[in-house]
Amino acid sequence: MKLSVIGCGYLGAVHAAAMAELGHEVVGVDVDPVKIEQLRAGRAPFFEPGLPEVLASAGASGRLRFTTELADAADAVVHFVAVGTPQSRDGNAADLRYVDAAIDGLLPLLKDGDLVVGKSTVPVGTARRLAERIAAGGSGARLAWNPEFLREGFAVKDTIEPDRLVYGVDDERDAAVLDEVYATAIAAGTPRIVTDFATAELVKVAANAFLATKISFINAMAEIAEATGADVTRLADAIGHDARIGRRFLNAGVGFGGGCLPKDIRAFTARAEELGRGESVAFLKEVDAINLRRRRRVVELAQEALGGAVFGRKVAVLGVTFKPHSDDVRDSPALDVAVQLKGLGADVVVTDPEGIDNARARHPQLLYSNATDEALRHADLVVLVTEWPEYTGLDPAHVKEIARGSTVIDGRNALDAAAWKAAGWRYVGMGRN
Ligand code: UDX
């Protein structure tokens, strides 16, 4: 099929490459000429495992093109809208300007039978409004909403082998078009839920709200554990054995970040308030508050570890991305902790395998090092905030030799506490005695 993908960020670039890999003829469109140049050259504009390989193989097939000209999307019959919906500058609601601009740009190109497919995460009600605009355009094109659940770090796999497909449609015929797009996944037995626009939009925010709540739940238990001497990781292991609860997303630590969870729960709250149903999701404010408290907790632990004398002390911050296997620092708890420590006067050195360039662009006042040992050398305190294997696999005896201090704060409860203690470290976890 001939597809266009509008917006080539974390979502769109992966979607475009994966769809071409599956045999479709795809044109990816983005307003950023630098990004398009990189994609044309087969280079991923961000770190995503597996993406360079798919870009290379789809590019070689001749089925994948990238352009800054929206007019090049005119031949396509299915147009995916994969632009960002960031948090507004002046509040919690989602900023829909890029979605609206994509629809504005597409309107004059649409033909009878075309399907515009929204993938961006939007407040419930947006799809209906956009469908009305497309209908008013008189082209005969239609709209579907097809939320995306990909996780950064596993984006290619999640796109090619999704765990479910959700179609929000006005008409069953539109579901048949999407079935053709996703023929490979459907043939592999992927569950498919066909529903209305509002449900499809809500599925996405409900899923992310649930995941955020699960993380904040265990982080709330970490706070109680800290007050009682209990160990939250053992608690998570024990409750996680209950299949109804499950162990995944019960890792207590510095909390969630990234381009989705934080902004999605805020946008959901804002939308619910607009709908007069603020109280239904009022708990998400608490979820957000617990999450942000855990960042401050790491900073408090660092202050305690340094005996209150933070100024001029060298703190090695291991990790700056919001999670491992990504270069994304959007709303990263790790970056937040580094900035807060720097604000207290600490001599912070941040290291990360992939996130330094993005972090430096946002916070040039921090000192960065590509070399883990350099960051650790003479450090008065070691703080792990992103659980990259490079850091969880560090030899504590080696770190002991090069660092000056002997306290490690494990902001992700990801280190082998016994091994670090055995090497002479004072180990400080999150919610662990
Ligand atoms: C998330 C959703 O998982 C995905 O389905 C959606 O499409 C986009 O948002 P992503 O932002 O890539 O994906 O990251 P995810 O793996 O969900 O992690 C989010 C944050 O939660 C990270 O900062 C991670 O470190 C944190 N986290 C995750 C925890 O603190 N504890 C956990 O147990 C799990």
Side-chain angles (χ1 to χ4, degrees):
M1 294 174 89
K2 286 191 171 185
L3 316 179
S4 78
V5 179
I6 320 300
C8 292
Y10 285 96
L11 165 60
V14 174
H15 193 67
M19 291 300 112
E21 185 72 359
L22 291 172
H24 299 300
E25 201 176 304
V26 184
V27 56
V29 188
D30 199 285
V31 292
D32 180 351
V34 177
K35 202 182 277 176
I36 290 299
E37 215 34 69
Q38 287 175 315
L39 287 164
R40 272 190 189 144
R43 287 201 311 274
F46 46 85
F47 176 77
E48 181 59 48
L51 181 57
E53 290 78 3
V54 186
L55 279 175
S57 98
S61 73
R63 288 191 302 266
L64 181 62
R65 284 184 303 134
F66 288 100
T67 175
T68 53
E69 296 300 322
L70 191 54
D72 293 344
D75 284 347
V77 292
V78 178
H79 306 274
F80 287 98
V81 175
V83 293
T85 51
Q87 186 174 336
S88 310
R89 282 177 197 279
D90 57 352
N92 283 334
D95 179 351
L96 293 177
R97 79 177 76 179
Y98 305 109
V99 172
D100 282 308
I103 299 295
D104 283 344
L106 276 172
L107 276 176
L109 306 177
L110 296 175
K111 311 172 294 295
D112 193 15
D114 280 8
L115 190 63
V116 178
V117 183
K119 288 203 89 63
S120 307
T121 303
V122 292
V124 57
T126 307
R128 176 58 57 212
R129 176 171 71 76
L130 299 178
E132 282 164 8
R133 283 183 61 202
I134 291 171
S139 60
R142 309 169 60 82
L143 180 82
W145 214 262
N146 169 221
E148 182 59 54
F149 306 101
L150 64 80
R151 298 159 299 165
E152 286 179 29
F154 303 91
V156 175
K157 184 180 179 296
D158 286 352
T159 306
I160 293 182
E161 298 164 25
D163 51 13
R164 78 285 211 189
L165 289 162
V166 176
Y167 307 162
V169 291
D170 255 348
D171 188 311
E172 276 289 325
R173 284 174 300 174
D174 302 334
V177 174
L178 287 169
D179 280 349
E180 215 179 317
V181 171
Y182 297 119
T184 309
I186 300 232
T190 307
R192 158 188 173 283
I193 287 128
V194 181
T195 182
D196 52 84
F197 287 160
T199 307
E201 292 168 312
L202 268 177
V203 166
K204 174 63 196 243
V205 282
N208 278 353
F210 190 88
L211 294 173
T213 303
K214 202 169 175 192
I215 299 167
S216 276
F217 174 82
I218 201 67
N219 279 329
M221 295 305 109
E223 292 182 336
I224 303 295
E226 279 158 9
T228 53
D231 182 326
V232 76
T233 54
R234 305 302 292 152
L235 172 90
D237 292 342
I239 64 173
H241 281 299
D242 183 332
R244 294 169 302 176
I245 296 173
R247 181 63 178 80
R248 295 178 71 189
F249 271 69
L250 279 186
N251 294 322
V254 67
F256 58 80
C260 293
L261 263 42
K263 80 154 170 78
D264 287 355
I265 59 169
R266 291 173 197 152
F268 193 12
T269 309
R271 183 63 184 135
E273 283 167 0
E274 272 171 26
L275 294 165
R277 291 288 186 278
E279 63 185 356
S280 305
V281 292
F283 67 93
L284 290 178
K285 287 188 178 163
E286 208 50 55
V287 165
D288 202 359
I290 293 166
N291 193 51
L292 296 178
R293 277 209 298 272
R294 298 318 281 166
R295 301 178 183 192
R296 287 200 295 277
R297 177 70 184 152
V298 173
V299 175
E300 273 167 29
L301 289 170
Q303 285 174 294
E304 277 170 36
L306 293 169
V310 180
F311 192 85
R313 310 289 291 284
K314 180 171 175 183
V315 180
V317 173
L318 303 182
V320 76
T321 53
F322 83 104
K323 67 173 189 181
H325 312 293
S326 167
D327 65 359
D328 199 346
V329 300
R330 287 178 293 173
D331 216 331
S332 167
L335 183 55
D336 207 357
V337 165
V339 168
Q340 288 189 46
L341 288 170
K342 174 80 185 170
L344 292 170
D347 185 2
V348 175
V349 181
V350 175
T351 185
D352 192 282
E354 297 293 338
I356 290 180
D357 290 347
N358 285 338
R360 185 185 280 122
R362 282 166 195 247
H363 289 287
Q365 80 276 24
L366 297 174
L367 213 60
Y368 297 94
S369 171
N370 285 311
T372 311
D373 273 12
E374 191 181 282
L376 290 166
R377 200 171 309 282
H378 307 313
D380 293 300
L381 176 67
V382 177
V383 181
L384 180 142
V385 259
T386 313
E387 70 279 32
W388 285 95
E390 284 87 336
Y391 309 142
T392 56
L394 277 170
D395 172 7
H398 168 70
V399 184
K400 192 84 185 29
E401 273 167 26
I402 60 173
R404 191 159 40 214
S406 56
T407 302
V408 59
I409 298 178
D410 183 1
R412 290 289 183 179
N413 289 341
L415 296 173
D416 180 343
W420 282 72
K421 285 181 196 163
W425 287 89
R426 184 177 156 247
Y427 172 91
V428 181
M430 301 289 289
R432 305 175 81 178
N433 190 5

